[in-house]
């Protein structure tokens, strides 16, 4: 082989090895971060960093959060949280059918998917972000387990303008910690989660009030049917 003919071969080799190295580096880094956050709180998220209203948060262990808050999250966001492995296929299919028919866009994300997005990625759509979300969802389901996923979710979810986590949300809205949340208060925070910048848990009106009342009723169902068994 002449020197000239060797150049194209080397160029083709670089086009193969460089992407493979990038992919391998990403996989190793993501595994490292997920493993690290299995034991320590995520210090900050991209959503927090991009929030022009600042960051108010106070990491709180799941054992120090009233159990009705986790039940409210399950009732509002993901009734199959304890039984699926990160993805609710039925909910995704129903959301896709609803969105295809037009009208207000509806999501089918589980609490696991939302946690993966909130901790490791950015808000918004797109196939790239959805693909990365799926990857991190698989990782946290395998490495963290359900109880840790719920703990992280309740600490990084946006609960108000510039407010993150249910502890900060409880203090903001009710002037006491998340360990003292009543069932109605937990339901109101859960009702705020989908649109925390547009809804308030204090003196809610209209849809937010009705939705909060519905969640409060569902909390009893979650407890009765053991839908929160994986976070006890």
């Amino acid at each position: 082989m002449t020197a000239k003919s060797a150049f194209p071969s080397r160029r083709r080799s670089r086009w193969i090895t460089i992407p493979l190295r990038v992919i391998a580096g990403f996989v190793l880094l993501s595994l490292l971060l997920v493993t690290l956050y299995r034991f320590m709180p995520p210090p900050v998220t991209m959503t927090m960093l991009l929030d022009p209203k600042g960051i108010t948060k106070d990491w709180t262990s799941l054992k120090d959060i009233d159990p009705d808050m986790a039940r409210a999250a399950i009732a509002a966001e993901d009734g199959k949280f304890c039984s699926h492995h990160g993805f609710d296929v039925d909910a995704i299919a129903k959301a896709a059918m609803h969105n295809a028919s037009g009208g207000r866009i509806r999501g089918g994300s589980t609490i696991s998917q939302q946690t993966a997005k909130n901790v490791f990625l950015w808000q918004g759509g797109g196939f790239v972000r959805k693909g990365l979300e799926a990857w991190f969802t698989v990782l946290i389901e395998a490495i963290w387990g359900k109880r840790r996923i719920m703990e992280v979710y309740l600490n990084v979810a946006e609960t108000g303008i510039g407010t993150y986590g249910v502890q900060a949300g409880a203090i903001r809205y009710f002037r006491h910690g998340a360990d003292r949340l009543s069932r109605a208060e937990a339901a109101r925070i859960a009702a705020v989660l989908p649109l925390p910048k547009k809804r308030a848990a204090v003196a809610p009106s209209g849809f937010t009030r009705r939705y909060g009342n519905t969640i409060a009723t569902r909390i009893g169902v979650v407890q009765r049917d053991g839908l929160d068994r994986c976070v006890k």
Side-chain angles (χ1 to χ4, degrees), residues 21-232:
R21 288 176 181 175
V22 171
I23 293 171
F26 168 76
V27 169
L28 289 175
L29 179 61
S30 57
L31 284 169
L32 176 63
L33 284 175
V34 171
T35 302
L36 188 64
Y37 292 162
R38 169 67 179 83
F39 304 101
M40 66 169 285
V44 71
T45 68
M46 193 174 298
T47 303
M48 295 176 188
L49 290 174
L50 295 175
D51 193 332
K53 299 297 183 180
I55 307 169
T56 299
K57 64 186 181 74
D58 186 1
W59 180 274
T60 305
S61 173
L62 188 60
K63 65 180 178 60
D64 295 322
I65 298 174
D66 189 278
D68 275 339
M69 189 63 246
R71 294 179 187 127
I74 291 172
E77 299 291 314
D78 187 359
K80 297 180 181 179
F81 177 67
C82 287
S83 59
H84 64 60
H85 297 289
F87 307 93
D88 186 343
V89 178
D90 291 337
I92 293 172
K94 288 178 182 178
M97 291 178 62
H98 172 84
N99 297 339
S101 65
R104 184 170 174 267
I105 298 297
R106 178 186 299 171
S109 295
T110 63
I111 287 175
S112 300
Q113 289 174 272
Q114 292 178 50
T115 304
K117 176 188 67 178
N118 290 340
V119 174
F120 300 103
L121 303 169
W122 59 93
Q123 303 298 317
F127 290 110
V128 172
R129 204 227 66 196
K130 278 294 185 182
L132 293 173
E133 178 187 294
W135 164 248
F136 279 108
T137 298
V138 170
L139 290 186
I140 64 175
E141 281 278 341
I143 297 174
W144 290 3
K146 295 292 188 179
R147 184 175 172 82
R148 178 61 174 177
I149 291 172
M150 178 61 74
E151 182 173 61
V152 174
Y153 175 73
L154 294 180
N155 275 282
V156 302
E158 190 176 5
T159 51
I161 297 175
T163 306
Y164 294 86
V166 298
Q167 174 70 5
I171 294 172
R172 174 191 177 100
Y173 295 121
F174 309 118
R175 301 291 186 262
H176 60 72
D179 60 327
R180 293 170 48 203
L181 285 170
S182 68
R183 179 165 291 187
E185 290 170 343
R188 288 180 182 180
I189 290 179
V192 165
L193 290 176
L195 291 170
K197 286 183 169 62
K198 297 182 179 180
R199 298 177 183 174
V202 175
S205 61
F207 174 81
T208 304
R209 178 179 57 80
R210 295 192 300 273
Y211 188 35
N213 291 340
T214 299
I215 294 171
T217 301
R218 290 177 182 171
I219 289 174
V221 177
V222 170
Q223 183 175 18
R224 183 196 68 201
D225 294 350
L227 301 181
D228 62 335
R229 61 188 179 278
C230 61
V231 298
K232 291 182 177 180

Side-chain angles (χ1 to χ4, degrees), residues 10-28:
R10 291 173 185 172
R11 201 173 292 119
R12 284 195 299 270
S13 178
R14 283 198 298 270
W15 279 110
I16 295 173
T17 57
I18 291 175
L20 288 177
R21 288 176 181 175
V22 171
I23 293 171
F26 168 76
V27 169
L28 289 175

